[in-house]
Amino acid sequence: MEVIQSFTIDHTRLKPGIYVSREDKGFTTFDLRITEPNREPAVAPAAMHSMEHLMATWFRNSRVKDDVVYVGPMGCLTGMYVIMTGTYTTSEMRSLTIECLEWILAQDKVPATEPQTCGNCLLHDLPMCQWECRRYLDRLRHDFHCEYTKLQITFEDGMVFADA
C-alpha cells in the first residue's frame, strides 16, 4: 500500500502555521495547524466543533466562497483542513485565516447549534474556541510557519519513500 502523504510529515517538528497539504485534481488542501502536535494539548472537542461551525460559516460567506470545497477538523484535533479550488498560496490563506479568526473573536454565539441543524448540538464551547483562535491568530501574525518537514519512510520490502 502507498503511504498517505500526511503520514510523511514529521509531526515532531511541526509548528502551528498554514501548510499546503495536497495539490491535486484542481484542489488545494490547506493544513491550518493550530497547536504543536504531541507537545501541546489538542484542541478540546467542543471547542474544535465550535471552530468548525464558525470557520465554515465565515469561509462559505467570504469573498472566496465560490472556491471553498470543505472546512473541517483534523482527526488528531490539532488543526483544521480547508480545501479550495483555484490557486491560493499559503500567504493568501494566512490573510484569509486572519480575517476569519478576527471575525470569530467578535462572535457571541456559534451558528447552527440547534438539534435540527447540528448532529451533536450539546458539544460546543465558544469561550474555549475563541481562546484557541486568539492564540492561533497571535501565532499567524508573529511566528508564521508554512514549510513542512518531511520524513523518510522505509517499507518492509525495502522500498524508500522520501519527500523533503
Side-chain angles (χ1 to χ4, degrees):
M1 284 194 183
E2 291 184 35
V3 174
I4 296 170
Q5 188 173 344
S6 64
F7 294 168
T8 68
I9 305 306
D10 186 348
H11 286 74
T12 64
R13 295 192 285 171
L14 187 58
K15 301 290 184 193
I18 297 177
Y19 304 87
V20 172
S21 177
R22 292 179 63 116
E23 288 180 294
D24 59 353
K25 301 176 185 167
F27 300 100
T28 303
T29 302
F30 288 96
D31 169 341
L32 278 57
R33 192 62 61 148
I34 298 164
T35 66
E36 192 170 349
N38 303 307
R39 293 209 168 129
E40 297 177 340
V43 178
M48 184 63 88
H49 190 201
S50 294
M51 193 180 302
E52 174 191 18
H53 278 233
L54 288 157
M55 280 190 158
T57 297
W58 187 87
F59 272 98
R60 292 181 184 280
N61 285 280
S62 73
R63 67 184 174 282
V64 297
K65 66 183 179 183
D66 292 338
D67 292 337
V68 177
V69 175
Y70 174 78
V71 179
M74 296 175 182
C76 61
L77 300 177
T78 63
M80 300 286 286
Y81 286 119
V82 177
I83 302 174
M84 306 283 287
T85 60
T87 25
Y88 291 89
T89 64
T90 53
S91 180
E92 290 167 322
M93 185 53 70
R94 177 186 185 195
S95 295
L96 290 165
T97 303
I98 286 172
E99 286 180 52
C100 175
L101 295 170
E102 289 171 341
W103 178 82
I104 290 172
L105 292 174
Q107 301 310 298
D108 60 3
K109 69 176 198 163
V110 178
T113 57
E114 298 76 29
Q116 303 87 340
T117 58
C118 180
N120 197 352
C121 67
L122 299 178
L123 186 71
H124 285 281
D125 185 345
L126 179 60
M128 194 64 197
C129 165
Q130 289 175 322
W131 184 88
E132 293 284 3
C133 287
R134 194 172 294 109
R135 188 169 73 131
Y136 186 45
L137 180 60
D138 183 62
R139 289 171 161 178
L140 291 182
R141 286 182 172 152
H142 301 109
D143 191 25
F144 183 58
H145 297 274
C146 63
E147 294 291 329
Y148 278 138
T149 302
K150 300 278 189 149
L151 291 171
Q152 178 172 303
I153 297 171
T154 304
F155 296 98
E156 290 176 12
D157 63 5
M159 291 185 64
V160 174
F161 177 85
D163 190 4

